[in-house]
């Protein structure tokens, strides 16, 4: 798994909300929920206070021909909301993991990809962790996991994450190369699973876990579950279909066909 990354400034402070996962409905005496034919992410309610704004798409190449078919992309749920007379994009999701994994599509590789950095801050703008991310050998989707050597995420607290890249590219008809700096950002909140969900997860298969996580609004757990399955079985058509459906439910269909990198 790739190492974590860098420093970044945070533009605002999000007040800490208290959240809980809704109790999962069981079918009679079943130990866990049946596997969904089409796993679909159901977003949890947004925090009662604060504005977890961010962006899942990088700006590089916008209005310029930089040779990127797809921009830098965070594989995270984004919802556009009306705020006053304008609009804001909320990038926020929940997890039950103490050390979640964050997923990103990187549109370039070494040597043109010069650096990738990840930073995680708490809701008071304090750095929680930062480190350089190992440069991928080819364009594709990478996972960036918070290492277990760090303190775990605190329950019911929001954390602001950033991913920054620097790519050497030519963005015009001339043969001049410039350094393009780009970034994406969003928020994550760790919550506690209900007693019912803990019991279900003990005996659930990976497919059933995916369904549980997606329906309970646990985006980071859902995508990590299916991504890890696909890395182990890259030619499995059923896993690929589940991956496509999950990303489609979060408006990320355009990156679903990109390769997952170990």
């Amino acid at each position: 798994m790739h190492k974590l990354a860098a420093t970044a400034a945070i533009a605002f402070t999000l007040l800490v909300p208290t959240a809980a996962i809704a109790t999962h409905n069981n079918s009679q005496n079943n130990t866990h929920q049946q596997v969904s034919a089409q796993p679909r992410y159901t977003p949890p309610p947004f925090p009662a206070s604060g504005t977890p704004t961010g962006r899942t798409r990088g700006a590089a190449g916008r209005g310029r021909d930089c040779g990127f078919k797809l921009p830098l992309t965070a594989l995270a749920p984004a919802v556009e909301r009306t705020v006053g007379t304008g609009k804001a994009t909320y990038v926020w999701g929940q997890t039950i993991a103490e050390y979640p994994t964050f997923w990103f599509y990187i549109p370039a590789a070494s040597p043109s990809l010069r650096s990738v950095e990840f930073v995680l801050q708490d809701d008071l703008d304090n750095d929680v962790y930062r480190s350089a991310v190992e440069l991928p050998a080819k364009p594709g989707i990478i996972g960036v996991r918070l290492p277990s050597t760090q303190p775990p995420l605190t329950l019911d607290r929001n954390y602001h994450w950033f991913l920054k890249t620097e790519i050497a590219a030519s963005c015009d008809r001339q043969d001049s190369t410039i350094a393009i700096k780009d970034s994406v950002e969003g928020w994550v909140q760790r919550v506690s699973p209900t007693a019912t969900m803990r019991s279900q997860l003990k005996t659930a298969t990976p497919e059933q876990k995916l369904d549980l996580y997606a329906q309970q609004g646990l985006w980071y757990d859902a995508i990590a579950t299916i991504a890890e399955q696909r890395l182990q079985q890259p030619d499995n058509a059923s896993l690929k279909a589940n991956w496509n459906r999950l990303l489609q439910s979060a408006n990320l269909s355009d990156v679903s066909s990109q390769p997952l990198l170990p």
Side-chain angles (χ1 to χ4, degrees):
M1 191 62 64
H2 297 263
K3 300 177 181 177
L4 288 176
T7 186
I10 185 171
F12 55 87
T13 299
L14 180 67
L15 298 177
V16 180
T18 300
I21 299 175
T23 303
H24 189 76
N25 294 326
N26 290 319
S27 174
Q28 297 179 353
N29 296 323
N30 288 349
T31 306
H32 46 66
Q33 183 183 5
Q34 294 298 314
V35 180
S36 171
Q38 294 186 348
R40 181 177 179 82
Y41 173 65
T42 302
F46 277 105
S49 59
T51 53
T53 56
R55 69 177 187 178
T56 58
R57 310 286 177 162
R62 196 172 293 171
R64 309 172 75 182
D65 182 12
C66 296
F68 303 135
K69 293 182 179 179
L70 292 171
L72 172 68
T73 302
L75 275 64
V79 176
E80 191 175 77
R81 285 193 164 187
T82 300
V83 179
T85 58
K87 292 184 178 180
T89 301
Y90 287 11
V91 182
W92 180 81
Q94 292 182 325
T95 182
I96 60 172
E98 294 181 337
Y99 304 97
T101 301
F102 306 85
W103 300 87
F104 304 93
Y105 168 70
I106 309 295
S110 182
S112 62
L113 181 62
R114 293 179 175 176
S115 66
V116 181
E117 296 178 326
F118 181 89
V119 62
L120 186 69
Q121 294 182 333
D122 63 22
D123 52 358
L124 297 177
D125 300 4
N126 300 308
D127 284 355
V128 173
Y129 192 81
R130 55 178 172 173
S131 174
V133 175
E134 182 180 344
L135 302 184
K138 62 179 181 179
I141 296 170
I142 65 169
V144 181
R145 184 176 183 179
L146 185 67
S148 58
T149 54
Q150 299 300 307
L153 297 187
T154 302
L155 282 169
D156 300 324
R157 189 168 192 178
N158 281 278
Y159 293 86
H160 197 178
W161 51 258
F162 305 80
L163 189 87
K164 295 188 173 185
T165 62
E166 182 174 320
I167 302 172
S170 177
C171 293
D172 52 38
R173 295 179 182 274
Q174 300 177 357
D175 193 21
S176 58
T177 299
I178 61 175
I180 304 171
K181 294 184 178 181
D182 211 353
S183 65
V184 289
E185 61 178 295
W187 295 79
V188 61
Q189 180 192 45
R190 180 188 165 210
V191 294
S192 180
T194 63
T196 299
M197 191 173 195
R198 286 196 191 96
S199 176
Q200 292 168 336
L201 290 173
K202 287 180 180 178
T203 57
T205 65
E207 291 79 9
Q208 290 163 339
K209 287 181 179 180
L210 169 62
D211 192 49
L212 280 169
Y213 292 145
Q215 290 199 22
Q216 293 294 337
L218 299 169
W219 171 260
Y220 294 95
D221 308 275
I223 191 171
T225 297
I226 187 62
E228 290 166 5
Q229 285 183 275
R230 289 204 63 211
L231 286 171
Q232 295 173 4
Q233 304 177 59
D235 299 324
N236 187 306
S238 178
L239 295 179
K240 183 178 180 180
N242 282 342
W243 168 265
N244 291 341
R245 288 163 184 157
L246 180 67
L247 266 60
Q248 181 181 22
S249 70
N251 297 317
L252 292 165
S253 297
D254 56 344
V255 295
S256 63
S257 62
Q258 300 304 312
L260 268 171
L261 307 180

